[in-house]
């Protein structure tokens, strides 16, 4: 499959002529849904969910997400499927397994929202805003590297717990060039420690998995 990094927490996956987009939120400015066959949405925060973008999308677009997001999309002319931890399904030619139920704890005055993570084709795991450890081997991890809810030590411990062969930065759209250089350094250190391919893919660039 081909993976392209878009702004902040959004990725676009292409395989066998099909396109699957994960978390096209408001921080992603590109026309990421052009030609998309299906969308996966982990949770309802706007940096992962852009309702206006989905409202303007083709009505043939199929969405897979948690119950809370489905409620926000109820008035849109899209086919919206509700999924929960333990579910599995096919979307745009990808096999998808669902892991996790809740967002990582954020602000003490804010309720913890639903959050589902997605394992694609039995190897690529996108946890959303959580540090879910799936009950399955992870070949490629899309690892959150910066967030109000995330500490550096938690990110490193997550990488060491999952121990993927490859890990690529996500949730990094709040950082300026200085912050991104720090992320690059931390990921490089962990790549050397784990002898794995752990790094940040610049926005707009693609890799083959």
């Amino acid at each position: 499959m081909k993976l392209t990094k878009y702004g902040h927490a959004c990725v676009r996956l292409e395989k066998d002529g099909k396109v699957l987009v994960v978390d096209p939120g408001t921080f992603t400015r590109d026309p990421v849904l052009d030609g998309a066959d299906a969308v996966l949405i982990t949770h309802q925060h706007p940096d992962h969910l852009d309702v206006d973008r989905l409202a303007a999308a083709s009505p043939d677009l199929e969405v897979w997400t948690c119950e809370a997001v489905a409620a926000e999309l109820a008035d849109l002319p899209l086919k919206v499927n509700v999924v929960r931890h333990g579910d599995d399904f096919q979307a745009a030619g990808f096999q998808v397994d669902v892991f996790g139920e809740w967002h990582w704890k954020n602000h003490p005055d804010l309720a913890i929202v639903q959050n589902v993570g997605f394992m694609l084709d039995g190897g690529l795991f996108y946890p959303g805003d959580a540090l879910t450890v799936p009950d399955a081997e992870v070949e490629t991890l899309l690892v959150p590297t910066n967030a109000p809810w995330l500490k550096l030590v938690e990110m490193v411990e997550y990488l060491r717990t999952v121990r993927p062969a490859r890990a690529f930065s996500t949730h990094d759209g709040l950082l300026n060039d200085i912050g991104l250089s720090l992320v690059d350094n931390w990921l490089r250190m962990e790549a050397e420690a784990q002898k794995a391919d752990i790094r940040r893919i610049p926005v707009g660039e693609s890799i083959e998995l």
Side-chain angles (χ1 to χ4, degrees):
M1 71 179 78
K2 177 182 177 182
L3 182 152
T4 303
K5 173 73 165 71
Y6 281 82
H8 189 54
C10 178
V11 294
R12 179 177 167 116
L13 300 158
E14 300 173 57
K15 185 184 71 169
D16 299 332
K18 297 288 189 178
V19 176
L20 178 66
V21 177
V22 185
D23 280 4
T26 56
F27 292 1
T28 299
R29 305 299 182 188
D30 307 270
V32 68
L33 295 184
D34 285 2
D37 298 288
V39 172
L40 308 181
I41 300 173
T42 60
H43 66 285
Q44 67 196 74
H45 290 158
D47 56 328
H48 297 255
L49 168 64
D50 187 340
V51 176
D52 291 340
R53 186 196 303 264
L54 290 170
S58 166
D60 295 328
L61 187 68
E62 193 164 12
V63 178
W64 304 80
T65 188
C66 62
E67 185 176 358
V69 172
E72 294 198 25
L73 303 179
D75 294 333
L76 300 187
L78 300 171
K79 183 177 181 182
V80 180
N81 306 276
V82 174
V83 295
R84 300 173 179 85
H85 175 76
D87 288 346
D88 64 89
F89 57 94
Q90 291 272 336
F94 291 82
Q95 172 63 35
V96 186
D97 296 278
V98 183
F99 292 93
E101 299 180 85
W102 301 106
H103 193 288
W104 202 251
K105 187 176 181 180
N106 198 346
H107 191 283
D109 297 337
L110 297 177
I112 298 176
V113 301
Q114 292 178 328
N115 180 98
V116 289
F118 299 107
M119 179 81 80
L120 306 178
D121 283 353
L124 169 65
F125 186 57
Y126 183 103
D129 280 11
L131 300 177
T132 303
V133 179
D135 185 19
E137 183 177 355
V138 177
E139 295 177 2
T140 303
L141 176 66
L142 298 182
V143 58
T145 55
N146 175 262
W149 50 268
L150 181 66
K151 298 177 182 178
L152 170 60
V153 65
E154 294 172 328
M155 183 264 285
V156 173
E157 288 175 348
Y158 186 47
L159 284 168
R160 293 182 180 182
T161 299
V162 177
R163 298 199 73 83
R166 295 175 295 272
F168 305 115
S169 171
T170 188
H171 214 285
D172 49 22
L174 298 178
L175 295 171
N176 59 17
D177 289 343
I178 296 173
L180 291 173
S181 69
L182 290 174
V183 166
D184 289 341
N185 186 54
W186 295 329
L187 295 182
R188 182 168 54 251
M189 291 169 58
E190 202 55 30
E192 293 171 356
Q194 295 196 31
K195 295 180 173 54
D197 182 10
I198 302 176
R199 55 192 165 94
R200 179 174 61 89
I201 303 169
V203 173
E205 292 192 10
S206 303
I207 58 169
E208 295 287 340
L209 299 175

